[in-house]
């Protein structure tokens, strides 16, 4: 199943890749804390009649266990357990409903969660989650979200731990500037939605940003600011452009 999912990600991410979405490459990030592969999980969920209906797998990386990073690995495990329950419950029922519209009732739908350590420096760790699922229709869906952690403080980092409340318009302006630069670079072929700027604040939450080297990356899933075919966007904003709104560790 992994090969199918990765092939799918390559197809839908082509435009996103062209505009600088380097997150389709899964190179291990070396950093302050040692990393390791998680033990791959593959669950096949069944209907009440015992038919295989959904194959859900988990793979990726986490930090090696120690007293400082234990709480991060526990958060990753919590996310995995949440997805197990979701796919073995509500989503499985959706798959069962959609089975009637498929050409064959022998199909087994699929889902996958991948974890990656995207940043691992200065007692800051950013974990990226890539979730793919398919239970009918013309294509599956891929979602990207992140968790950020302050190892020194032993806590998750929220959006408003990093950015000052009331200054969201400054963040929005910086994102618009970068999006329009990318669109111009690719000859206005991205296909941005009319008034796409209005949708930018929808990602101002704890799970749609993560840290990079002297930058912060904002995550826009497909169909947020541009059509599905354009893929996701990972908008990188230098910290210096956000200096008037960043309050983290000042």
């Amino acid at each position: 199943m992994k090969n199918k999912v990765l092939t799918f990600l390559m197809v839908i991410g082509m435009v996103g890749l062209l505009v600088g979405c380097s997150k389709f490459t899964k190179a291990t990030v070396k950093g302050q804390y040692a990393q390791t592969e998680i033990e791959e999980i593959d669950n096949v969920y069944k209907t009440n009649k015992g038919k295989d209906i959904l194959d859900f797998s988990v793979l990726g990386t986490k930090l090696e266990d120690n007293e400082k990073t234990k709480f991060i690995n526990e958060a990753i495990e919590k996310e995995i357990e949440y997805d197990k329950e979701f796919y073995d419950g509500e989503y499985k029922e959706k798959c069962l409903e959609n089975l009637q519209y498929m050409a064959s009732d022998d199909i087994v739908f699929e889902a996958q969660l991948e974890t990656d350590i995207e940043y691992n420096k200065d007692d800051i760790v950013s974990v990226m989650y890539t979730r793919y699922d398919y239970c009918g229709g013309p294509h599956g869906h891929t979602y990207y979200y992140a968790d950020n952690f302050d190892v020194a403080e032993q806590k998750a980092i929220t959006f408003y731990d990093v950015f000052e409340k009331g200054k969201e318009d400054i963040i929005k302006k910086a994102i618009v500037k970068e999006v329009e630069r990318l669109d111009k670079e690719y000859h206005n072929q991205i296909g941005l939605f009319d008034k796409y700027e209005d949708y930018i604040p929808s990602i101002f939450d704890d799970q749609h940003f993560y840290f990079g080297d002297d930058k912060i990356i904002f995550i826009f899933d497909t169909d947020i600011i541009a059509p599905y075919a354009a893929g996701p966007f990972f908008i990188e904003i230098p910290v210096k452009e956000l200096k008037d709104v960043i309050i983290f560790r000042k």
Side-chain angles (χ1 to χ4, degrees), residues 42-61:
D42 194 7
N43 294 318
V44 178
Y45 300 130
K46 299 178 180 293
T47 67
N48 292 335
K49 295 182 178 180
K51 179 191 179 303
D52 292 351
I53 188 71
L54 177 66
D55 187 333
F56 171 58
S57 63
V58 182
L59 69 160
T61 55

Side-chain angles (χ1 to χ4, degrees), residues 24 58 72 77 98 103 112-113 115 171 177 182 189 200 222-223 225 248:
F24 289 96
V58 182
I72 297 176
E77 289 298 325
N98 290 348
Q112 183 183 78
L113 178 69
T115 70
I171 306 171
K177 178 181 176 182
L182 291 171
Q189 296 299 308
I200 288 176
T222 55
D223 286 325
I225 62 174
F248 185 61

Side-chain angles (χ1 to χ4, degrees), residues 41-104:
I41 299 167
D42 194 7
N43 294 318
V44 178
Y45 300 130
K46 299 178 180 293
T47 67
N48 292 335
K49 295 182 178 180
K51 179 191 179 303
D52 292 351
I53 188 71
L54 177 66
D55 187 333
F56 171 58
S57 63
V58 182
L59 69 160
T61 55
K62 64 176 183 177
L63 299 176
E64 287 188 358
D65 284 321
N66 64 51
E67 286 304 310
K68 286 188 174 182
T69 61
K70 181 180 178 182
F71 80 107
I72 297 176
N73 286 336
E74 288 176 347
I76 293 173
E77 289 298 325
K78 186 177 180 180
E79 188 67 31
I80 292 171
E81 290 303 314
Y82 171 85
D83 273 25
K84 283 181 180 179
E85 293 181 10
F86 171 70
Y87 285 115
D88 194 23
E90 178 183 339
Y91 195 83
K92 185 175 73 174
E93 293 303 313
K94 181 180 178 182
C95 291
L96 188 57
E97 291 177 10
N98 290 348
L99 191 61
Q100 62 184 308
Y101 303 110
M102 305 303 293
S104 169

Side-chain angles (χ1 to χ4, degrees), residues 13-224:
M14 191 61 68
V15 174
L17 191 60
L18 287 174
V19 298
C21 175
S22 62
K23 303 312 165 191
F24 289 96
T25 60
K26 297 299 181 182
T28 301
V29 176
K30 294 182 179 179
Q32 182 177 2
Y33 297 103
Q35 297 171 213
T36 185
E37 296 289 324
I38 67 170
E39 185 175 348
E40 189 167 345
I41 299 167
D42 194 7
N43 294 318
V44 178
Y45 300 130
K46 299 178 180 293
T47 67
N48 292 335
K49 295 182 178 180
K51 179 191 179 303
D52 292 351
I53 188 71
L54 177 66
D55 187 333
F56 171 58
S57 63
V58 182
L59 69 160
T61 55
K62 64 176 183 177
L63 299 176
E64 287 188 358
D65 284 321
N66 64 51
E67 286 304 310
K68 286 188 174 182
T69 61
K70 181 180 178 182
F71 80 107
I72 297 176
N73 286 336
E74 288 176 347
I76 293 173
E77 289 298 325
K78 186 177 180 180
E79 188 67 31
I80 292 171
E81 290 303 314
Y82 171 85
D83 273 25
K84 283 181 180 179
E85 293 181 10
F86 171 70
Y87 285 115
D88 194 23
E90 178 183 339
Y91 195 83
K92 185 175 73 174
E93 293 303 313
K94 181 180 178 182
C95 291
L96 188 57
E97 291 177 10
N98 290 348
L99 191 61
Q100 62 184 308
Y101 303 110
M102 305 303 293
S104 169
D105 61 3
D106 290 333
I107 188 171
V108 177
F109 298 108
E110 57 187 8
Q112 183 183 78
L113 178 69
E114 184 168 358
T115 70
D116 288 286
I117 307 299
E118 291 291 345
Y119 192 76
N120 181 9
K121 294 180 181 179
D122 302 319
D123 275 332
I124 298 172
V125 173
S126 294
V127 181
M128 171 75 78
Y129 301 101
T130 304
R131 178 197 280 175
Y132 165 82
D133 51 45
Y134 175 76
C135 73
H139 53 71
H141 296 275
T142 306
Y143 312 89
Y144 301 86
Y145 52 101
D147 283 333
N148 302 286
F149 302 94
D150 187 330
V151 181
E153 296 293 330
Q154 290 285 288
K155 70 172 189 176
I157 301 171
T158 70
F159 186 84
Y160 288 111
D161 286 334
V162 179
F163 305 105
E164 184 176 350
K165 283 186 178 181
K167 293 190 175 181
E168 293 85 354
D169 281 350
I170 296 176
I171 306 171
K172 177 181 174 181
K173 184 177 180 180
I175 292 173
V176 168
K177 178 181 176 182
E178 177 61 10
V179 169
E180 293 187 349
R181 184 194 70 79
L182 291 171
D183 195 34
K184 183 177 180 180
E185 181 178 341
Y186 289 92
H187 310 290
N188 304 110
Q189 296 299 308
I190 292 176
L192 295 167
F193 290 140
D194 291 339
K195 298 184 178 180
Y196 77 90
E197 306 97 320
D198 294 344
Y199 299 98
I200 288 176
S202 69
I203 58 96
F204 291 170
D205 58 44
D206 298 345
Q207 290 197 306
H208 283 86
F209 78 97
Y210 61 97
F211 292 89
D213 287 323
D214 298 318
K215 60 191 174 187
I216 293 177
I217 300 94
F218 295 90
I219 306 168
F220 290 87
D221 278 325
T222 55
D223 286 325
I224 301 296

